[in-house]
Amino acid sequence: LEEMRRADCRRIVFSSTCATYGDPVTTPMDEEHPQLPVSPYGRTKLHIEHILGDFVDAYGFSAAVLRYFNAAGASRDGRCGERHDPETHLIPLVLEAAAGLREEILVFGDDWPTPDGTAVRDYIHVEDLADAHVAALAALLDGTRHLACNLGTGRGHSVQEVIDVARRVTGAPIPARIVERRAGDPAVLVCAPRRALDQLGWAARITDLDDIVGDAWNFLRAHTEGRSD
């Protein structure tokens, strides 16, 4: 930010996270939800949100803070997608099991207070995320000084739903094994996306879980060279 100030580059769109909220007090979570992060990831994102606010006040910056829920999917043409090493995101892990790149998928708890006992998350397609960034930059160029918006669909899907959809999309059995819950995982994380609609004119378009999983599957099938025995 100091380098931006010296270069007189004073508009920034920041990728933040719903992890700044910590454990849900209310569901779905809007931007007025208390920000009480429980992980180093959420805490560092929140620190930067605070610093951005200071730069807006002190140095005339314009800042758009976008709090992602669970980014997922791949570009609809199959050219761009996610590949992490190690992989930690649920959908690509499930699809790697479908492709035979891992033996099974681990489900961290089936005794959560949710309809099927597995944790619920709000999955937002990466192309919708890209559109939100363009809309946020347009708002800053149009004179908005400081905004913070959640980015999600407003719909939650459980881990078991993701596995069931992946089985349907891929035609693979996808072995799954229930293990202990992970410390710090909340039962439900679902977005209240109204502010993004009001302030950016943005709403998620690709909200069907079959489409999100299907795009990720198409990417994985097109880019598996050298990834298995």
Side-chain angles (χ1 to χ4, degrees), residues 122-143:
D122 188 332
Y123 295 93
I124 176 171
H125 195 284
V126 65
E127 287 201 355
D128 284 329
L129 281 178
D131 289 343
H133 285 73
V134 174
L137 181 57
L140 298 183
L141 291 170
D142 198 38

Side-chain angles (χ1 to χ4, degrees), residues 9 12 44-45 83 94 96 98 106 112 117 130 161-162 165 175 178 187 202 221:
C9 175
I12 182 168
T44 56
K45 290 285 192 178
R83 181 183 294 176
V94 171
E96 286 183 3
L106 300 181
W112 297 96
E161 282 183 87
V162 171
V165 166
I178 307 298
W202 175 91
R221 286 191 300 172

Side-chain angles (χ1 to χ4, degrees), residues 96-150:
E96 286 183 3
L101 300 175
R102 62 180 62 244
E103 292 184 1
E104 61 185 0
I105 183 71
L106 300 181
V107 178
F108 295 97
D110 62 351
D111 56 350
W112 297 96
T114 63
D116 65 18
T118 63
V120 171
R121 297 293 183 266
D122 188 332
Y123 295 93
I124 176 171
H125 195 284
V126 65
E127 287 201 355
D128 284 329
L129 281 178
D131 289 343
H133 285 73
V134 174
L137 181 57
L140 298 183
L141 291 170
D142 198 38
T144 296
R145 288 197 63 214
H146 196 191
L147 64 86
C149 289
N150 291 337

Side-chain angles (χ1 to χ4, degrees), residues 39-56:
S39 68
Y41 177 68
R43 284 194 295 273
T44 56
K45 290 285 192 178
L46 184 57
H47 289 330
I48 298 175
E49 286 195 23
H50 290 160
I51 294 167
L52 282 169
D54 294 336
F55 271 68
V56 169

Side-chain angles (χ1 to χ4, degrees), residues 107-218:
V107 178
F108 295 97
D110 62 351
D111 56 350
W112 297 96
T114 63
D116 65 18
T118 63
V120 171
R121 297 293 183 266
D122 188 332
Y123 295 93
I124 176 171
H125 195 284
V126 65
E127 287 201 355
D128 284 329
L129 281 178
D131 289 343
H133 285 73
V134 174
L137 181 57
L140 298 183
L141 291 170
D142 198 38
T144 296
R145 288 197 63 214
H146 196 191
L147 64 86
C149 289
N150 291 337
L151 297 183
T153 66
R155 298 171 57 188
H157 298 284
S158 72
V159 172
Q160 187 60 55
E161 282 183 87
V162 171
I163 295 170
D164 290 343
V165 166
R167 285 170 175 160
R168 182 167 66 247
V169 167
T170 66
I174 309 181
R177 179 162 57 94
I178 307 298
V179 296
E180 291 295 317
R181 294 184 187 184
R182 292 180 298 194
D185 272 356
V188 178
L189 287 176
V190 176
C191 172
R194 180 70 197 188
R195 184 184 289 181
L197 180 62
D198 292 343
Q199 296 193 4
L200 302 178
W202 175 91
R205 297 176 297 107
I206 308 167
T207 59
D208 189 281
L209 188 60
D210 284 68
D211 291 334
I212 294 172
V213 172
D215 288 344
W217 178 236
N218 289 338

